[in-house]
């Protein structure tokens, strides 16, 4: 069964709600003002990401990440990069304060909401 972009967007939104999103620095793309959407569309319109669903921004920074239904796109200072979900081999927490927190995160006991940066490993 081929899953549509609309189906994947609804699943991303459903999962985000389980993690109490949106937050101060995370947003549902559809709920952004048109001005904000247009700003990010400049970076993603040529990326073929599917339906942009979630936006994450970094406090006190110009860094942002958008999760679409086909790709994840991130950028800052007018530059962006993307990665197809099918090319992601592994996702791990990154930049945790201590080895203990890293081990807790990998073993599943540190809530994902406390992961403030991820490392994506490509196939």
């Amino acid at each position: 069964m081929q899953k549509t972009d609309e189906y994947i967007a609804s699943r991303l939104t459903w999962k985000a709600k389980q993690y109490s999103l949106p937050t101060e620095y995370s947003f549902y793309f559809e709920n952004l003002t048109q001005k904000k959407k247009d700003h990010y569309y400049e970076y993603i319109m040529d990326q073929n990401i599917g339906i942009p669903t979630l936006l994450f921004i970094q406090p006190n920074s110009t860094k942002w990440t958008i999760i679409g239904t086909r790709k994840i796109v991130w950028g800052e200072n007018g530059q962006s990069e993307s990665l197809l979900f099918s090319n992601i081999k592994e996702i791990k927490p990154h930049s945790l304060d201590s080895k203990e927190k890293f081990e807790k995160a990998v073993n599943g006991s540190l809530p994902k909401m406390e992961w403030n940066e991820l490392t994506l490993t490509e196939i």
Side-chain angles (χ1 to χ4, degrees), residues 100-121:
E100 292 79 24
K101 276 194 174 184
F102 180 82
E103 288 173 355
K104 283 183 183 180
V106 171
N107 295 328
S109 60
L110 179 69
K112 290 179 183 174
M113 290 297 294
E114 293 184 28
W115 297 13
N116 51 358
E117 193 173 331
L118 299 175
T119 298
L120 303 175
T121 306

Side-chain angles (χ1 to χ4, degrees), residues 83 85-90 121-123:
L83 182 62
F85 287 124
S86 60
N87 290 340
I88 297 174
K89 178 181 177 182
E90 178 176 58
T121 306
E122 289 185 70
I123 293 177

Side-chain angles (χ1 to χ4, degrees), residues 13-90:
T13 301
W14 173 80
K15 192 65 168 177
K17 287 178 184 174
Q18 290 186 334
Y19 286 101
S20 302
L21 298 178
T23 64
E24 186 176 357
Y25 301 108
S26 64
F27 310 89
Y28 295 115
F29 197 86
E30 67 182 17
N31 293 344
L32 296 175
T33 65
Q34 191 59 49
K35 184 177 178 179
K36 286 280 188 191
K37 286 180 187 177
D38 291 343
H39 170 76
Y40 290 108
Y41 278 135
E42 288 182 39
Y43 303 110
I44 65 173
M45 60 190 230
D46 296 334
Q47 300 279 348
N48 191 24
I49 73 165
I51 299 171
T53 307
L54 300 168
L55 167 68
F56 300 90
I57 59 171
Q58 197 172 76
N60 305 316
S61 173
T62 59
K63 292 181 181 181
W64 53 268
T65 302
I66 295 175
I67 306 227
T69 55
R70 298 179 196 160
K71 286 183 174 181
I72 183 169
V73 183
W74 62 94
E76 86 175 300
N77 298 326
Q79 302 293 318
S80 66
E81 294 185 49
S82 66
L83 182 62
L84 280 168
F85 287 124
S86 60
N87 290 340
I88 297 174
K89 178 181 177 182
E90 178 176 58

Side-chain angles (χ1 to χ4, degrees), residues 88-103:
I88 297 174
K89 178 181 177 182
E90 178 176 58
I91 300 175
K92 288 189 175 182
H94 180 77
S95 296
L96 293 172
D97 301 313
S98 66
K99 181 181 176 190
E100 292 79 24
K101 276 194 174 184
F102 180 82
E103 288 173 355

